[in-house]
Structures are given as structure tokens and as C-alpha cells.
Amino acid sequence: PPADAIFVGGGGPEVIAAALAHRLPGARLVANAVTLESQAALIDLHGQHGGQLMQIALAESAPLGPYRGFTPARPLLHWCLA
């Protein structure tokens, strides 16, 4: 049935297209992407539908010789359509 809030944690363009088809008008849709292909899909959808597009990057501390440094994780692309 149509939903008033949908979260897509992965799955590619087909999953996001299905989510768009099953959301109620004005319902919130949130999708995250890590791969270049799924990020490209979110960028295209943002261009078509608007919303908020945000890139989130995290890094974790790790040993670096006798010191410590940050090791970056893969950046996450976050799209929110409300």
C-alpha cells in the first residue's frame, strides 16, 4: 500500500523507482547510496524531483606509525524528498 515515509538503504535505481511509485503525495522519501551507480541515480532523481542532496563523509582514527591519523570511509550520498 502507499506509504507516508520510505527509507531506502540500498538496492539501486529499481528500488528507488518502486519507492517513488508507492509513496503518498507529499510523503517523505529518504535514500542513501555508496556506489557510483546508485549515487548517479540519486543525483538524477534530485534533478527531476528536487529535495535535499547531501554527501556525508566519515573517518575513523587508526594507528599511523607511532602516531594516529584518520582513515576515511566511503562517502555516503543522502537524498531526502519530502
Side-chain angles (χ1 to χ4, degrees):
D4 56 4
I6 301 172
F7 173 76
V8 179
E14 299 82 11
V15 173
I16 296 168
L20 282 168
H22 286 90
R23 72 189 264 271
L24 292 169
R28 181 178 304 266
L29 171 63
V30 176
N32 293 327
V34 175
T35 67
L36 293 176
E37 293 78 11
S38 58
Q39 287 184 5
L42 289 188
I43 291 167
D44 288 344
L45 289 165
H46 177 257
Q48 294 171 29
H49 301 282
Q52 180 185 25
L53 194 62
M54 180 181 352
Q55 185 182 57
I56 302 167
L58 300 172
E60 184 176 11
S61 65
L64 183 61
Y67 305 103
R68 293 174 296 143
F70 283 102
T71 301
R74 297 183 189 277
L76 173 83
L77 191 64
H78 175 86
W79 177 51
C80 181
L81 179 63

